[in-house]
């Protein structure tokens, strides 16, 4: 049986301001190890809200979330913060790199925060990730001295630094041109195929989604069932 990395069980989510609105309804799915899964759907259907819950940042929901077979329900914030840092890598639409630091240091930051390996080893890991993504030459540049496409690859290297169980992305190609979007897609694909990296990516890009292992389509806060 395949290893399950993430599981959503009957997740419901309400916003209460100004009136009660149900924004996610009965969300159920599993993501297996090494799967490259996308979440698609119209603007406002609840994709970011769902990703917020799945990444443990939002704890105000009904139902259950399991990451790496451990329930995330009713856990103290310190534990959730550790899970986020250790088990989840994030790639957003905007890269959030720190301009005053070198590329290498930016990639090292979540590794330093995890505080599991000595600094030299974190640096070695960071160089490995940069090399894997073909951008090792940028290591000593300042983060504001590289292109937009390079920044997003650096953000992916940073997401990989703690060898997460799963990489989550909210529109990671949303701010890139076609060429750079394809490059990021190819990197994700390579990570899934060569390194068995699990990926859960929210995207508007239907072409992108069609080329992944599985697409979860949402409408009005619900998952549209697959028609076979
Ligand atoms: N903090 C909030 N309070 C109340 N309603 C919210 C809040 N955040 C989001 N919503 C509403 O919840 C719904 C889902 O929003 P969400 O941001 O998850 O959509 P999305 O699918 O990510 O859209 P997009 O593709 O535009 O990013 C929308 O109707 C939105 O207006
Ligand atoms: Mg969104």
């Amino acid at each position: 049986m395949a290893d399950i990395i993430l599981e959503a069980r009957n997740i419901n989510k309400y916003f209460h301001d100004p009136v009660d609105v149900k924004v996610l309804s009965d969300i159920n799915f599993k993501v297996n190890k090494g799967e490259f899964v996308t979440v698609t759907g119209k603007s406002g259907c609840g994709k970011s809200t769902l990703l917020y819950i799945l990444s443990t940042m939002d704890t105000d929901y009904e139902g259950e979330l399991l990451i790496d077979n451990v329930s995330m329900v009713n856990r103290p914030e310190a534990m959730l913060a550790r899970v986020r840092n250790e088990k989840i890598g994030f790639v957003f639409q905007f890269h959030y790199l720190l301009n005053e630091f070198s590329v290498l240091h930016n990639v090292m930051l979540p590794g330093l925060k995890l505080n599991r390996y000595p600094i030299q080893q974190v640096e070695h890991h960071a160089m490995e990730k940069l090399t894997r993504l073909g951008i090792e030459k940028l290591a000593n540049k300042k983060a504001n001295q590289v292109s937009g496409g390079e920044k997003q690859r650096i953000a992916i290297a940073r997401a990989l630094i703690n060898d997460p169980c799963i990489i989550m992305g909210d529109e990671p190609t949303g701010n890139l041109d076609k060429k750079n979007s394809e490059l990021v897609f190819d990197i994700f694909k390579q990570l899934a195929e060569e390194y068995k990296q699990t990926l859960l990516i929210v995207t508007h890009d239907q072409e992108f989604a069609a080329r992944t292992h599985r697409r979860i389509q949402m409408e009005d806060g619900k998952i549209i069932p697959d028609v076979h």
Side-chain angles (χ1 to χ4, degrees):
M1 215 183 76
D3 292 340
I4 298 165
I5 294 294
L6 179 143
E7 185 170 356
R9 290 186 184 157
N10 305 313
I11 290 182
N12 294 306
K13 165 80 185 171
Y14 300 84
F15 283 118
H16 307 286
D17 189 26
V19 289
D20 286 7
V21 188
K22 193 172 190 180
V23 285
L24 293 176
S25 191
D26 208 24
I27 301 289
N28 281 290
F29 68 94
K30 294 175 190 171
V31 180
N32 295 323
K33 184 168 167 57
E35 256 195 312
F36 184 0
V37 180
T38 46
V39 179
T40 61
K42 289 203 183 91
S43 181
C45 73
K47 304 180 297 296
S48 295
T49 304
L50 178 60
L51 206 65
Y52 240 66
I53 291 172
L54 300 180
S55 63
T56 79
M57 290 193 276
D58 181 4
T59 55
D60 178 19
Y61 60 90
E62 295 172 357
E64 193 166 21
L65 166 67
L66 290 97
I67 294 178
D68 206 11
N69 297 305
V70 178
S71 173
M72 296 294 128
V73 175
N74 293 325
R75 301 295 189 183
E77 175 49 34
M79 175 194 161
L80 297 179
R82 184 154 184 95
V83 167
R84 283 197 289 278
N85 195 28
E86 193 179 322
K87 300 200 170 183
I88 308 175
F90 293 98
V91 186
F92 300 100
Q93 181 168 0
F94 302 100
H95 46 77
Y96 301 111
L97 297 177
L98 301 176
N99 281 330
E100 64 273 28
F101 289 137
S102 69
V103 165
L104 183 65
H105 195 86
N106 269 282
V107 175
M108 288 170 69
L109 280 173
L112 297 174
K113 194 171 159 204
L114 185 65
N115 202 19
R116 180 183 291 160
Y117 302 107
I119 188 164
Q120 294 81 356
Q121 208 164 339
V122 175
E123 186 175 320
H124 181 72
H125 286 160
M127 276 313 294
E128 257 175 19
K129 307 302 179 196
L130 288 170
T131 305
R132 188 185 291 178
L133 301 191
I135 48 172
E136 69 278 13
K137 287 203 179 72
L138 303 178
N140 295 317
K141 283 199 166 193
K142 284 270 167 60
N144 60 0
Q145 295 172 326
V146 303
S147 75
E150 287 167 345
K151 280 181 183 162
Q152 202 57 318
R153 275 181 280 164
I154 296 162
I156 298 171
R158 180 184 55 188
L160 288 167
I161 187 71
N162 292 334
D163 295 318
C165 300
I166 185 163
I167 288 195
M168 295 187 189
D170 197 349
E171 300 283 357
T173 61
N175 209 26
L176 300 176
D177 60 21
K178 190 154 176 66
K179 182 169 150 270
N180 278 305
S181 297
E182 292 207 342
L183 204 60
V184 165
F185 174 84
D186 290 343
I187 288 168
F188 284 157
K189 190 109 183 160
Q190 185 195 14
L191 292 174
E193 274 162 19
E194 283 179 33
Y195 299 94
K196 283 271 171 214
Q197 177 68 57
T198 312
L199 297 132
L200 182 66
I201 307 291
V202 167
T203 182
H204 269 106
D205 189 337
Q206 296 293 341
E207 236 179 274
F208 180 122
R211 288 156 65 201
T212 61
H213 297 149
R214 181 154 61 102
R215 180 183 347 190
I216 294 173
Q217 284 181 280
M218 290 181 66
E219 194 174 78
D220 296 335
K222 298 188 189 73
I223 292 178
I224 305 175
D226 285 332
V227 185
H228 291 291

